[in-house]
Amino acid sequence: MVKKVKKYVPRFVLIWIRTQIERYKFAKAYLYDFRKNIKFSSAIRYDDTQLKLVSTIIRNYHVVEKGLTMPETRLGFGKDRINILCDDIILYIKKYGLDNDQIHHAIGVLLEYDHLHRQNNFILSDNIQSKINKLKQQIPVVEPTPQLIKTRNEYFKSVKSDFKEFSNSRASIRNFSTEEISVDKILNALELARNTPSACNRQTSRPYVYNNKEEIKEILQVQGGNRGFGHLANKLLIVTADLSVYNSVAERNQAFIDGGMYAMNVLYSLHHNEIAACILNCSHTPEKDKKLRKLCNIKESEVFIAMIACGIPPEKFNVAISKRHSLSAIVTVN
């Protein structure tokens, strides 16, 4: 019956019908996604589950870690963030107890923050100092967790080692020297990253290389997550993924999956080529997306995946610890 109908219905009508059906499928799928995000996202409420609360604490202590590793750490930085972090840790302990490595680490970061300011005779506000002291009393065994100090040679010494050592040696760097990186060296890294797998080998990822310092500065100002170090970037990479290569509603998120794998491979490739890098998120509002798309000359069919600030590190620099969850905390074996 369907074949007979197709035989007598004009092709443009069949295309129109198929288009409407696909649009309905997309609308239904995105409504499904919308409901899940509204139900589970910590943007709506961040303290009603243990996972949401600890993840919020991790996000905030990592901001403090980054502040402690800046080329020029500004004393008294992040006081609003410190206040919120202290309150959330106190709330977590009250609701769920102390048996969590991430909570111990968060307190250690706060103690490091306190230690830095004591060393420099900088007096924190009474409110912040009182909260840090309260946490210190609750877990007296926790020590300050100083961020890692690396030399350039130490940081790159494992770039030709076995994969375990190589992978563990890579970290985000937020301190770059004035040394120039040749475009050819960047292209060598991108050549290596071409081996990234993608759904049905459709290779959606598109890297953009920015070389002009003023253009880089303008882009990073709009991105907004690089304060304190972005101005030192020698090159900027933007990774996008083209939606045009996907052909079903089931693949509506595949661009971000393929693009994310590609971005990670680029980070490994840069490290292999002894280029320091810091990946920057492209979780944009529609307004910022439009502004950056125009500024960066990105096609409408492409979605932003990540930005990567690149440079050659100085002879000595700090690296954020960025504590990872234990394997037992994240793995499910069925």
Side-chain angles (χ1 to χ4, degrees):
M1 182 66 180
V2 174
K3 286 183 179 180
K4 287 183 179 181
V5 170
K6 284 184 178 181
K7 185 176 179 180
Y8 294 104
V9 175
R11 186 170 181 271
F12 77 90
V13 174
L14 293 174
I15 292 174
W16 183 86
I17 292 172
R18 183 187 173 195
T19 300
Q20 302 315 307
I21 291 171
E22 290 304 317
R23 284 177 174 170
Y24 170 76
K25 288 180 179 178
F26 270 100
K28 184 179 179 182
Y30 280 112
L31 179 60
Y32 172 79
D33 295 340
F34 168 76
R35 286 170 173 162
K36 280 202 301 180
N37 276 286
I38 289 297
K39 183 176 181 180
F40 297 112
S41 173
S42 59
I44 308 303
R45 184 174 175 184
Y46 76 93
D47 61 353
D48 57 338
T49 72
Q50 186 173 4
L51 177 60
K52 285 184 182 180
L53 185 53
V54 76
S55 297
T56 300
I57 289 168
I58 291 171
R59 183 186 66 190
N60 285 325
Y61 84 56
H62 188 55
V63 172
V64 180
E65 283 187 319
K66 289 187 288 187
L68 292 166
T69 62
M70 287 296 152
E72 296 179 8
T73 298
R74 177 177 55 84
L75 293 177
F77 76 90
K79 59 183 180 181
D80 292 337
R81 184 84 61 169
I82 295 292
N83 231 327
I84 293 170
L85 179 57
C86 288
D87 288 341
D88 285 344
I89 294 172
I90 291 168
L91 176 62
Y92 183 94
I93 293 171
K94 183 179 179 181
K95 293 178 76 170
Y96 304 112
L98 294 168
D99 188 22
N100 190 304
D101 289 345
Q102 290 289 348
I103 299 303
H104 288 206
H105 183 73
I107 295 171
V109 171
L110 284 172
L111 296 181
E112 179 188 5
Y113 180 88
D114 182 38
H115 178 69
L116 171 71
H117 289 85
R118 289 179 186 274
Q119 270 189 325
N120 289 276
N121 297 315
F122 186 98
I123 299 175
L124 299 173
S125 71
D126 291 343
N127 184 41
I128 288 176
Q129 192 65 66
S130 173
K131 289 177 181 178
I132 292 176
N133 290 343
K134 181 179 179 180
L135 288 169
K136 189 175 182 179
Q137 289 168 4
Q138 283 188 291
I139 315 182
V141 295
V142 175
E143 297 290 332
T145 55
Q147 304 306 302
L148 305 173
I149 300 174
K150 296 278 187 180
T151 65
R152 187 191 298 188
N153 287 338
E154 286 172 343
Y155 182 67
F156 289 126
K157 73 177 183 179
S158 299
V159 297
K160 302 295 189 292
S161 301
D162 66 81
F163 185 73
K164 182 178 180 180
E165 192 173 338
F166 166 78
S167 178
N168 285 329
S169 72
R170 193 212 65 80
S172 291
I173 303 301
R174 298 176 179 86
N175 194 347
F176 306 121
S177 68
T178 57
E179 191 172 333
E180 186 72 18
I181 307 172
S182 70
V183 173
D184 284 344
K185 195 169 186 179
I186 296 289
L187 294 178
N188 285 340
L190 295 177
E191 172 67 28
L192 179 58
R194 287 193 310 117
N195 65 14
T196 306
S198 60
C200 296
N201 194 37
R202 280 171 285 183
Q203 305 169 65
T204 183
S205 301
R206 300 290 183 269
Y208 292 75
V209 182
Y210 296 87
N211 190 41
N212 181 279
K213 302 298 186 296
E214 285 304 312
E215 189 176 16
I216 291 172
K217 180 181 178 182
E218 192 175 1
I219 293 169
L220 289 179
Q221 280 179 340
V222 178
Q223 190 273 337
N226 57 88
R227 188 169 56 183
F229 72 94
H231 63 287
L232 300 174
N234 185 261
K235 296 286 184 292
L236 178 68
L237 305 183
I238 294 182
V239 175
T240 70
D242 200 316
L243 296 173
S244 306
V245 308
Y246 302 108
N247 62 358
S248 85
V249 65
E251 294 184 317
R252 65 191 180 280
N253 297 316
Q254 195 64 43
F256 301 101
I257 297 167
D258 289 356
M261 290 195 296
Y262 178 81
M264 185 68 245
N265 216 8
V266 169
L267 289 176
Y268 279 140
S269 301
L270 290 169
H271 190 51
H272 180 72
N273 281 271
E274 299 190 11
I275 299 170
C278 182
I279 192 164
L280 306 169
N281 84 68
C282 285
S283 304
H284 302 150
T285 60
E287 293 76 18
K288 184 182 281 191
D289 181 89
K290 291 174 184 176
K291 188 172 183 178
L292 276 171
R293 189 175 298 280
K294 184 177 180 180
L295 179 62
C296 304
N297 196 26
I298 303 296
K299 289 165 60 178
E300 284 293 323
S301 62
E302 296 176 18
V303 291
F304 285 94
I305 300 298
M307 296 187 186
I308 303 175
C310 301
I312 303 299
E315 289 302 325
K316 195 174 185 180
F317 53 95
N318 290 337
V319 181
I321 292 178
S322 304
K323 182 176 177 59
R324 298 309 198 249
H325 287 301
S326 66
L327 195 63
S328 61
I330 60 173
V331 172
T332 301
V333 179
N334 293 318

